Amino acid sequence: MDKSYSNGKLRPSKQRDRILELLRHTGIHPTAQWVYDQMVKEFPHLSMGNVYRNINILLKQGLIKKIDFGSTFDRLDANTSRHYHFVCETCSAITDLQIPYDPSLDQRVNANTHFAVNRHKIQFYGHCEKCVPNTKKEKDP
Amino acid sequence: MDKSYSNGKLRPSKQRDRILELLRHTGIHPTAQWVYDQMVKEFPHLSMGNVYRNINILLKQGLIKKIDFGSTFDRLDANTSRHYHFVCETCSAITDLQIPYDPSLDQRVNANTHFAVNRHKIQFYGHCEKCVPNTKKEKDP
DNA sequence: GTTCATGCAAATCGTTTGCACAATG
DNA sequence: CATTGTGCAAACGATTTGCATGAAC
């Protein structure tokens, strides 16, 4: 996961600064391609490789986030009913949760926005039993 | 999106049936590679291409689901505070929502499972204003 | 016998990386 | 001058697709 794009100290980069500025001034949650399309207007010789490199540095610095599940692979689910998932941050295991789907969340967003919401997904992140061996033991009766 | 893997009527396929059965009997939300690894024990000449083809047919039939955001691209966000997202199912626009992050959801899962939950993500799906031109108009004052 | 399912290999697509050179400290 | 940033092109890994063959209707 940690590819150490820049293992020492960073140097100022006009391109990286501009990427961060672009991302901070847009609300559209763009793709790397969108960032490139904007950037190339100002830096005609820009390469996609550099956009990705700088995006990864910004991610590592915690200045931006990726909207994803943290998995490179598609994960499949034969349980087609509405339910939530727990994702272990250590072993990447995904587990179905038993807590009931809450339609009132959809209604809340519906009432406060102009969106027509019809469903939602929730993923909880943390550590599963195996990956937190010394915690939450007292929960067992 | 719709690639019409099978635009006419489906024919029974032992392999597809077995994939569905495998997915229904596991709770691990596996990857296509895992499915292939199991399947190849029973079908020694199996190809990955066929696994993907059948997975896509099952997805189209609604018999299984993919655990993702519905986007092939990574989407970036410079708002690093905890917040929820709305995803338009028509135009794929992603919008930050203003409803506050609810830590009690984490506590609820913590109280009812052996997982050590520390955060969660919620995505709401539906249609944005532009994609539902004739609905929810009365919300405007 | 027309259409679908399959194996195989090649293609595709988003992303990453190796290399040579320019720029910074 | 040692190290970082960059452009370029090649590599990568997950997924898709074209083609020839075999099976189902």
Side-chain angles (χ1 to χ4, degrees):
Chain A
M1 244 253 147
D2 186 332
K3 290 294 180 146
S4 277
Y5 294 89
S6 159
N7 43 2
K9 35 254 110 194
L10 292 179
R11 255 169 226 176
S13 155
K14 276 194 174 170
Q15 310 202 357
R16 186 161 57 246
D17 292 349
R18 190 72 182 103
I19 290 178
L20 182 56
E21 196 180 6
L22 276 170
L23 290 176
R24 283 191 170 150
H25 286 80
T26 183
I28 68 164
H29 304 281
T31 61
Q33 183 65 54
W34 182 93
V35 172
Y36 174 82
D37 292 343
Q38 308 305 309
M39 293 285 292
V40 79
K41 299 172 188 166
E42 300 169 40
F43 304 86
H45 296 288
L46 182 69
S47 64
M48 274 299 287
N50 199 38
V51 169
Y52 277 108
R53 252 186 308 240
N54 279 318
I55 284 175
N56 282 323
I57 291 173
L58 293 171
L59 284 168
K60 200 163 121 183
Q61 294 182 114
L63 295 173
I64 62 175
K65 298 248 165 139
K66 233 192 281 193
I67 306 182
D68 65 5
F69 282 85
S71 175
T72 5
F73 306 89
D74 282 346
R75 307 283 294 250
L76 305 168
D77 194 346
N79 177 357
T80 56
S81 67
R82 295 186 167 181
H83 62 281
Y84 303 139
H85 290 115
F86 170 79
V87 182
C88 177
E89 293 176 308
T90 301
C91 70
S92 299
I94 300 180
T95 314
D96 288 345
L97 292 176
Q98 301 306 324
I99 67 171
Y101 183 88
D102 181 1
S104 75
L105 283 172
D106 296 333
Q107 289 161 22
R108 176 129 69 112
V109 177
N110 259 324
N112 289 289
T113 69
H114 291 286
F115 303 135
V117 172
N118 53 49
R119 66 200 167 86
H120 65 269
K121 297 183 186 177
I122 309 185
Q123 307 86 40
F124 293 88
Y125 293 86
H127 300 283
C128 70
E129 268 178 292
K130 290 173 186 168
C131 294
V132 185
N134 304 320
T135 325
K136 294 196 75 177
K137 274 294 158 81
E138 65 281 4
K139 288 206 63 57
D140 295 287
Chain B
M1 245 235 161
D2 187 331
K3 289 294 178 143
S4 277
Y5 295 90
S6 161
N7 43 2
K9 35 255 111 193
L10 292 179
R11 248 165 232 180
S13 155
K14 277 194 174 169
Q15 310 202 357
R16 187 162 56 246
D17 292 349
R18 190 73 182 101
I19 290 177
L20 182 56
E21 195 180 6
L22 276 170
L23 290 176
R24 282 190 169 151
H25 286 79
T26 183
I28 69 164
H29 305 280
T31 61
Q33 183 65 53
W34 181 92
V35 172
Y36 174 83
D37 292 343
Q38 308 305 308
M39 293 286 292
V40 79
K41 299 172 190 168
E42 299 169 40
F43 305 87
H45 296 288
L46 182 69
S47 65
M48 273 300 289
N50 199 40
V51 169
Y52 277 108
R53 254 186 306 242
N54 279 318
I55 283 174
N56 282 322
I57 292 173
L58 293 172
L59 284 168
K60 201 163 121 183
Q61 295 182 115
L63 294 173
I64 62 174
K65 299 247 164 140
K66 231 192 280 193
I67 306 182
D68 66 4
F69 283 85
S71 174
T72 6
F73 305 89
D74 282 346
R75 307 282 295 249
L76 305 168
D77 194 346
N79 177 357
T80 55
S81 67
R82 295 187 167 180
H83 61 280
Y84 303 139
H85 290 115
F86 170 79
V87 181
C88 177
E89 293 176 309
T90 300
C91 69
S92 299
I94 299 180
T95 315
D96 288 345
L97 291 177
Q98 301 306 325
I99 67 171
Y101 184 88
D102 181 1
S104 75
L105 283 173
D106 297 332
Q107 290 160 22
R108 177 130 68 111
V109 177
N110 260 323
N112 289 289
T113 68
H114 291 286
F115 303 134
V117 173
N118 53 51
R119 67 199 167 87
H120 65 269
K121 297 183 185 176
I122 308 185
Q123 306 86 42
F124 293 88
Y125 293 85
H127 299 283
C128 70
E129 267 178 293
K130 289 175 185 166
C131 296
V132 185
N134 304 319
T135 323
K136 293 197 76 179
K137 275 294 157 84
E138 64 280 4
K139 288 205 63 57
D140 293 287

